[in-house]
Amino acid sequence: MSIIEKYPSIFRVGGGCGKEFPFVTLTGKAEKVAREEGEARNLMEPILVKNLRKLLMLSIDCRVPLEKVEFIGNELGLPHDFKKSLIFKYPEYFSIKVINGRAYLNLENWDSSLAVTAREERFARERMLQSAGGQNKVRITKDGNYLGPFAFKMCYAAGFRPNKSYLEELEKWQKMEFPSPYLNARRFEVADPKTRKRVVAVLHELLSLTMEKRMISAKLDAFHSEYRLPSKLVLCLIKHHGIFYITNKGARSTVFLKEAYDGTNLVDKCPILMFNDKFVALSGRHDVNAVDIGADPC
């Protein structure tokens, strides 16, 4: 009761007089928000189906062990009954196959229209804006950002001041071509600089498929074999600190996609996160999981 009474904007306590037992109901405002949950989940379904298909398309064999999908289910926003509500509902996209005694989530068909990364979509949008503004000159800036088909958005911490040689090397890296993350990783030599840049793109795309554009590093590392991730994953992430941010909470480190955040705020939220925010707002609390990634606004 002490917890319930702590949030009078969400819960209303009644009864308790005479022989009447006390009861708890939602307040009018909370009921109004609660009625929106069904719509939010309906809006999420096509998003989840698309992201699951892309997750499988990124993998080497277009399949991922089912327990690994369950392992990151919360990050992806999957419902607890996703096998019934999503996998079995869309047999044209998914199937579960047992290989050597292990259950795998398998992609049933390849869709080339989905083999476009979040990075490529951002570049297309920015190129359109640049063309509309009449700016045709492409150049590297003092913060390392470069508008090009193989460039990544850089969001460095406010106190980071790269020198000239750093920016020169970064410009070379930003302009360097690399294979799509949706091409099979077996085709590329691990030591090739273009392959190493491709790995950064794979990590970028994996985080982009999550609801909050973040994941515990141990969960990322669990997909080492499916996506040919580097053996020293954390070092790779630290090296590219303009793209990724790592924070430690005890023994657990969380990897954030920097460009997805403005300070502690996730820039683009999916329908279920926007629904959750309404309850958080009713409680008068801030997001307890918010972390300031310490980057300039991207």
Side-chain angles (χ1 to χ4, degrees):
M1 288 301 294
S2 63
I3 294 175
I4 290 171
E5 290 173 346
K6 189 177 180 180
Y7 300 103
S9 58
I10 298 178
F11 303 110
R12 184 176 71 85
V13 180
C17 299
K19 293 183 179 181
E20 186 180 6
F21 288 104
F23 62 87
V24 179
T25 62
L26 292 176
T27 62
K29 289 183 178 179
E31 283 184 350
K32 183 180 179 181
V33 173
R35 285 194 292 269
E36 298 176 11
E37 181 177 6
E39 181 183 0
R41 296 201 179 278
N42 287 337
L43 291 172
M44 281 298 296
E45 186 168 308
I47 296 172
L48 295 176
V49 171
K50 176 184 175 181
N51 287 352
L52 265 181
R53 293 171 72 191
K54 289 170 74 74
L55 185 80
L56 296 174
M57 288 170 63
L58 281 171
S59 65
I60 293 175
D61 297 310
C62 292
R63 65 173 185 247
V64 173
L66 189 58
E67 74 267 17
K68 292 192 179 184
V69 178
E70 294 170 338
F71 188 43
I72 62 168
N74 288 337
E75 285 78 4
L76 296 174
L78 298 177
H80 295 299
D81 65 341
F82 78 93
K83 283 185 283 187
K84 178 182 178 182
S85 60
L86 293 178
I87 305 307
F88 298 145
K89 186 177 179 179
Y90 295 95
E92 67 272 30
Y93 299 142
F94 311 111
S95 65
I96 296 177
K97 297 181 179 180
V98 178
I99 302 174
N100 297 325
R102 194 179 194 185
Y104 284 81
L105 180 60
N106 188 73
L107 182 73
E108 281 300 300
N109 62 75
W110 181 273
D111 186 344
S112 296
S113 68
L114 295 182
V116 180
T117 65
R119 185 197 61 80
E120 290 169 319
E121 291 174 349
R122 177 187 57 77
F123 168 68
R125 290 193 302 269
E126 291 184 354
R127 186 171 57 178
M128 288 179 63
L129 289 173
Q130 188 185 58
S131 298
Q135 299 176 7
N136 297 317
K137 187 176 181 181
V138 177
R139 62 186 180 86
I140 201 81
T141 60
K142 291 182 179 180
D143 61 4
N145 282 301
Y146 169 79
L147 185 61
F150 300 101
F152 288 81
K153 183 72 174 178
M154 295 292 168
C155 305
Y156 291 109
F160 181 71
R161 295 290 182 267
N163 57 32
K164 183 180 178 181
S165 62
Y166 183 95
L167 288 174
E168 287 174 349
E169 288 301 313
L170 179 59
E171 181 175 1
K172 292 178 183 177
W173 188 83
Q174 288 277 52
K175 292 180 177 179
M176 183 173 61
E177 297 180 6
F178 65 93
S180 169
Y182 288 98
L183 293 176
N184 196 308
R186 289 197 182 97
R187 298 167 56 180
F188 313 114
E189 293 292 332
V190 177
D192 189 330
K194 293 181 179 180
T195 302
R196 292 201 293 266
K197 187 175 180 181
R198 179 189 174 275
V199 168
V200 175
V202 171
L203 291 167
H204 185 287
E205 186 72 353
L206 283 172
L207 291 174
S208 296
L209 295 177
T210 65
M211 284 201 305
E212 296 184 288
K213 318 307 178 196
R214 65 183 185 181
M215 191 184 297
I216 296 171
S217 59
K219 291 190 175 185
L220 265 180
D221 205 31
F223 291 88
H224 175 82
S225 58
E226 286 77 20
Y227 301 110
R228 292 288 174 92
L229 299 181
S231 56
K232 297 180 180 179
L233 177 61
V234 173
L235 290 178
C236 174
L237 294 166
I238 292 173
K239 180 180 179 181
H240 298 284
H241 60 103
I243 303 171
F244 309 109
Y245 176 79
I246 308 177
T247 183
N248 282 310
K249 287 187 175 179
R252 293 154 57 94
S253 61
T254 302
V255 183
F256 290 76
L257 185 59
K258 278 190 169 185
E259 69 184 66
Y261 284 81
D262 181 1
T264 62
N265 299 314
L266 183 63
V267 177
D268 294 317
K269 295 186 177 182
C270 63
I272 201 66
L273 286 181
M274 290 190 287
F275 167 75
N276 292 341
D277 281 351
K278 292 181 179 180
F279 266 118
V280 173
L282 274 181
S283 71
R285 300 175 64 188
H286 297 291
D287 184 2
V288 295
N289 293 316
V291 175
D292 190 343
I293 64 171
D296 290 327
C298 296

